[in-house]
Amino acid sequence: MPTPDRSKGMELSVSAARAAIAAVLTPITDCDTLPLDQALGRVLAEDLISPIAVPAHDNSAMDGWALRGADLGASAITLNSIGTALAGHPYSGSVGIGQCVRIMTGAVVPAGADTVVMQEEAQQDGSSVRIAGTHKPGQNVRRAGEDIARGAVALRSGTLLRPQHLGLAASLGLARLRVHRRARVAVFSTGDELRQPGEDLVPGAIYDSNRHVLAGMLARLGCETRDLGVVRDEPARLEAALREAMSWADAIVTSGGVSTGDMDFTRALLAKLGEVTFCNIAMRPGRPMAFGRLKNGERPCVLFGLPGNPVAAAVSFTQFVRGALLQMCGCTDTALPLLQARAHQPMKKKPGRTEYQRGILERDDQGMHVRLTGAQGSGMLSSLCQA
Ligand code: AMP
Ligand code: MG
C-alpha cells in the first residue's frame, strides 16, 4: 500500500482503493441453513451437488405420438395406437414395432419408444395413426439428465441466490440451503448541520438525505441494517456512536466528516479505535474516503467513512462498499455490469481521474447511447434520480 501523507491523506486510484479495501476485509464465516423461501438474496455457502438427474426420465417436449425412431421411413407410415402417456401418469407397457402411444408434454417416454412426432403432423383414425413428412429419430425428446446430471455441481458456493437459483434448488428436491449469514451493517450520518425530514430548517441547516440513500442501498444488498441516526461533530458523540456500532456490526457505513477540514479530529479518534486509512481517491465525485479495521476484541469490524456530499456518498457506496460487503458474505461475482455506449455530447475529464457522471441510457438501431442528466454537482441528488 502507498504510504500515508499526513496533510493530504493517501492518493489512490479507484482500483488501488478497491484492492486496499479488499485487504482489510474479514469474511463472514457463520452460516444459516434456510428454507428456500427465506434464501433469496443470500450467498450460497457450499457447492450444490445434484442428488438426482434433471430431468429424471426421458420425457416428451411436445403433445403428440411416441414411437420407435427405427419405424420412420422415407415415406408416410401408419402405426397402431396402443395407449396414452400423460404427465404424472406414465404408460406402463412397451412400444413395439409398428406401434405408438399418445403422449403429452412432460410425460415419460414409454419403454421401446425414443421419438415423438407432434400431433399437428399426424392424423388419427380410430387406433390407426398416419404420420407423413420427414422426422428424425430421437426428435422432441428431452433426455434424462440433459439439464443437470446426477452428482454434478448444480450451483457453485458463492452464488448470490436469485429467484432462478431457488427454482433450480427446488427442481433438485432440495428444501433447505446453507448460506452465509447476512452482513450486519450500522449506518449513521455526521454533521452539526443535519436535520430530519419533518423538522424545521434553521438557517444553515440541511436535511439528512444520505442515511436514506445508504440504508436503502444496504437493504437492497440484503444486509441486516441498524440506523444510528445523526451524530453531531463532537469527538465524544462520534466515539460513542462508533463503539455502539462496533459492538454489533460487521461493518459501519458513515457519511460526512472525512474531507480535509474534518480530518484531524476524526483521524485522532479513529486511531484510538483501530487502523483506519484516510485517502483521496482519484475519482469524481467521491474523492475523500476513510476505511479500515476497528478493534473490537476478537470480532472484526470494518469502517467505511464516505464523503458527505450526497452523490459522492452514493457513488462511493456503489463503487467500494457494495462489492466489499458482497465479498465479506462470500459472494464470488461482485463486479458491476459495465456497458459501452456512444456519448451524445463531448465530456471533459481530468487525465488520471475516474469520473462517474450520471447519464440516461437509450437504445436505437445504431446501438446504445447515453446523454448526461445535466449539471453533475456532487450534491445534486436530482441528477441521480434522473439517471
Ligand atoms: P462533509 O464531508 O461532512 O464536509 O460534508 C460535505 C457536504 O455534504 C456538506 O455540504 C454537507 O452539508 C453535506 N452533507 C453531509 N452529510 C450529509 C447528509 N447526511 N445528507 C445530506 N448532505 C450531507
Ligand atoms: Mg460534515
Side-chain angles (χ1 to χ4, degrees), residues 56-67:
H57 306 279
D58 289 358
N59 70 85
S60 179
M62 295 280 177
D63 290 347
W65 299 92
L67 49 92

Side-chain angles (χ1 to χ4, degrees), residues 190-193 233 255-257 262 308:
T190 67
D192 287 343
E193 74 280 29
D233 289 322
S255 69
D262 304 292

Side-chain angles (χ1 to χ4, degrees), residues 8 95 101-102 131 150 189-190 214 227 231 282-283 326 370:
K8 286 161 62 196
V95 177
V101 158
R102 177 89 176 115
I131 291 167
R150 182 174 170 178
S189 301
T190 67
L214 296 172
D227 183 345
V231 177
M283 68 185 265
L326 286 172
V370 70

Side-chain angles (χ1 to χ4, degrees), residues 189-190 193-194 206-211 255-259 262 307-310:
S189 301
T190 67
E193 74 280 29
L194 301 178
I206 60 165
Y207 289 118
D208 171 16
S209 57
N210 287 351
R211 219 153 32 87
S255 69
V258 291
S259 41
D262 304 292
N309 277 309

Side-chain angles (χ1 to χ4, degrees), residues 113-186:
D114 57 9
T115 301
V116 172
V117 170
M118 64 194 286
Q119 60 190 15
E120 290 80 355
E121 292 172 353
Q123 287 96 46
Q124 183 181 12
D125 181 7
S127 67
S128 155
V129 179
R130 185 184 140 84
I131 291 167
T134 46
H135 302 282
K136 269 201 251 129
Q139 71 179 20
N140 298 329
V141 173
R142 304 169 182 151
R143 293 271 163 221
E146 75 175 16
D147 186 5
I148 303 163
R150 182 174 170 178
V153 177
L155 290 176
R156 289 269 168 216
S157 175
T159 302
L160 182 65
L161 295 169
R162 292 183 285 149
Q164 56 269 45
H165 300 123
L166 302 181
L168 189 84
S171 76
L172 304 180
L174 300 172
R176 299 166 81 78
L177 297 177
R178 195 168 153 75
V179 296
H180 289 274
R181 171 169 73 65
R182 297 202 290 163
R184 297 176 187 141
V185 186

Side-chain angles (χ1 to χ4, degrees), residues 187-194 196 208 211 227-242 244-245 252 254-257 265 269:
V187 60
F188 63 83
S189 301
T190 67
D192 287 343
E193 74 280 29
L194 301 178
Q196 292 319 303
D208 171 16
R211 219 153 32 87
D227 183 345
L228 302 186
V230 171
V231 177
R232 302 278 155 232
D233 289 322
E234 288 167 33
R237 298 219 188 195
L238 188 56
E239 180 169 354
L242 287 167
E244 183 189 345
I252 305 173
T254 69
S255 69
F265 126 71
L269 169 61

